[in-house]
Amino acid sequence: METTNDLAIQKQTITSREIAEITGKQHKHVMRDIRAMEPAWEKIGQSKFGLIDYTDQRNRKKPQYELTKTECLYVSTKFNDEARAMLVLRWEKLEKERLLNTPNFANPAEAARAWGKRERMNQLGNVKEKSDKRWMK
């Protein structure tokens, strides 16, 4: 599971490969199910599911989906009861872990540490972005 930490806001995602592992389904079948459900998701005004690449054991680039919790739970409606339950429990575990790792903003020292960490991450991101732009010229 990927987590983007922006102080108290955390966006958690799960990949189609992780869904396959949790549910015991083959990845190609999870991909097929997600592709089949994506048009209905778009039809109700939602954006396309995130499609990213990973490198397999033979060093080949392969596609996988990266889904938010809501997208994952929507896709899981296609699965049997046991697989759906395993995904729901996985998200519950991740949310509990996130709550344990969320800074206590009522404590000024913790809030300052979280703000400092965020600023360092932003500065690193800006430096990388500037260096990337230099190579594009």
Side-chain angles (χ1 to χ4, degrees), residues 14-16 31 34-35 38 49-51 63-67:
I14 187 170
T15 66
S16 52
M31 291 286 288
I34 293 171
R35 276 193 297 273
E38 190 171 32
F49 297 136
L51 190 60
Q64 70 178 351
Y65 282 99
E66 184 176 52
L67 305 175

Side-chain angles (χ1 to χ4, degrees), residues 24-101:
K25 295 173 72 75
Q26 289 184 23
H27 184 240
K28 67 181 180 181
H29 293 154
V30 172
M31 291 286 288
R32 177 200 60 208
D33 293 344
I34 293 171
R35 276 193 297 273
M37 296 181 80
E38 190 171 32
W41 188 249
E42 288 180 88
K43 193 172 184 177
I44 63 163
Q46 301 300 313
S47 61
K48 283 186 167 287
F49 297 136
L51 190 60
I52 60 174
D53 290 329
Y54 73 96
T55 304
D56 71 4
Q57 293 173 343
R58 293 169 48 188
N59 210 29
R60 297 176 300 182
K61 292 279 186 197
K62 304 279 264 188
Q64 70 178 351
Y65 282 99
E66 184 176 52
L67 305 175
T68 65
K69 177 183 178 182
T70 303
E71 293 166 342
C72 174
L73 294 178
Y74 165 68
V75 167
S76 74
T77 62
K78 183 100 170 167
F79 302 158
N80 66 38
D81 292 343
E82 185 180 327
R84 199 167 42 251
M86 288 188 289
L87 285 169
V88 168
L89 291 173
R90 179 68 174 138
W91 280 109
E92 182 179 41
K93 180 182 176 197
L94 287 170
E95 288 172 352
K96 285 179 183 175
E97 289 172 0
R98 181 180 53 90
L99 288 175
L100 291 175
N101 294 323

Side-chain angles (χ1 to χ4, degrees), residues 2-13:
E2 296 291 317
T3 303
T4 304
N5 188 352
D6 186 22
L7 292 179
I9 302 169
Q10 291 188 343
K11 181 181 178 186
Q12 294 178 317
T13 59

